[in-house]
Amino acid sequence: MATPNEPGSLSWRLSSHPMTLLSFLTFRISSLLVYLLGLFFTKNYILIFIITMLLLSMDFYHIKNIAGRRLVGLRWWNEVNPDTGDTKMVFESLDPATRPRDGDGRPVTNATDRRFFWLGLYAQPVLWVGLAIMAIFKVELIWLTLVAIALVLTITNTVAFSRCDKFSQASNLASSAMYSGGLARNLAGGMIGRLWNR
């Protein structure tokens, strides 16, 4: 079990890039929160659609161009051949052995950044799928269009970064973030504790 100050634990204070990490988490959470709060507290679909789309677009751009590069050393983009018009996806990944180091000799990306990145990257599409199921069961199909757009944007980034990850950071860190950090146990314990306290 990871202690709070151990490298790789889920504490943003251990990040090499705390501002990038906090903005990454803010963008990941804000679109979901605006959607959920709008779904339950207002029926103004157009306002919620516009705000959620802006947040999803900022999230997509930030992850693709800033957070992926700074937090895990990965990036991807599309190149278009001007002669044929064909598009090609380009994936870039830093080799962990040659990863740039800061002035103190520490790697520019660290285990905490990687764990937050991969956990956030894989968790958001799962949450949007849950919201899609909820929209279907509530028979509010107009909200399903927004969820479908959110799924396209989040899954695109997830698949692209997974393809960039030729050194298997995702498979190692996402699973260890859930279990060694005690995240799943803490969530389940808190939910069960609340049920018994009622």
Side-chain angles (χ1 to χ4, degrees):
M1 184 168 158
T3 61
N5 293 326
E6 181 180 316
S9 65
L10 291 174
S11 172
W12 67 270
R13 290 183 178 97
L14 298 175
S15 173
S16 294
H17 305 286
M19 293 307 294
T20 303
L21 181 60
L22 288 176
S23 60
F24 165 75
L25 293 173
T26 300
F27 285 132
R28 294 309 267 182
I29 293 168
S30 62
S31 59
L32 286 164
L33 281 178
V34 166
Y35 176 81
L36 283 172
L37 293 174
L39 187 65
F40 292 120
F41 294 117
T42 183
K43 293 298 177 189
N44 190 347
Y45 173 74
I46 295 171
L47 177 67
I48 300 306
F49 185 90
I50 291 170
I51 294 171
T52 305
M53 282 303 302
L54 287 172
L55 291 170
L56 284 167
S57 300
M58 288 187 285
D59 176 52
F60 182 85
Y61 176 84
H62 184 264
I63 289 173
K64 181 181 173 299
N65 295 312
I66 299 168
R69 184 176 48 83
R70 293 191 75 188
L71 297 178
V72 291
L74 303 173
R75 64 183 189 158
W76 64 274
W77 65 92
N78 289 330
E79 285 184 353
V80 178
N81 185 337
D83 298 330
T84 63
D86 294 334
T87 61
K88 177 178 87 168
M89 303 234 356
V90 179
F91 304 101
E92 230 177 49
S93 179
L94 288 176
D95 184 354
T98 61
R99 183 159 287 153
R101 309 236 176 234
D102 64 9
D104 298 330
R106 294 178 302 193
V108 173
T109 61
N110 66 24
T112 298
D113 291 336
R114 290 189 303 268
R115 288 179 82 178
F116 269 113
F117 181 83
W118 291 112
L119 189 60
L121 194 69
Y122 286 123
Q124 193 177 30
V126 171
L127 294 171
W128 281 111
V129 166
L131 291 172
I133 293 168
M134 187 173 78
I136 290 169
F137 283 127
K138 287 181 73 176
V139 191
E140 294 194 18
L141 298 180
I142 194 160
W143 290 93
L144 192 57
T145 58
L146 179 57
V147 174
I149 294 169
L151 278 170
V152 167
L153 290 173
T154 58
I155 289 174
T156 300
N157 256 338
T158 303
V159 169
F161 277 110
S162 296
R163 296 232 6 230
C164 287
D165 183 28
K166 62 183 176 183
F167 298 106
S168 301
Q169 298 176 50
S171 59
N172 296 337
L173 293 167
S175 62
S176 66
M178 287 298 288
Y179 300 111
S180 70
L183 184 62
R185 185 181 65 246
N186 290 340
L187 286 173
M191 289 170 44
I192 292 171
R194 286 191 186 124
L195 287 173
W196 288 109
N197 290 335
R198 289 185 179 185

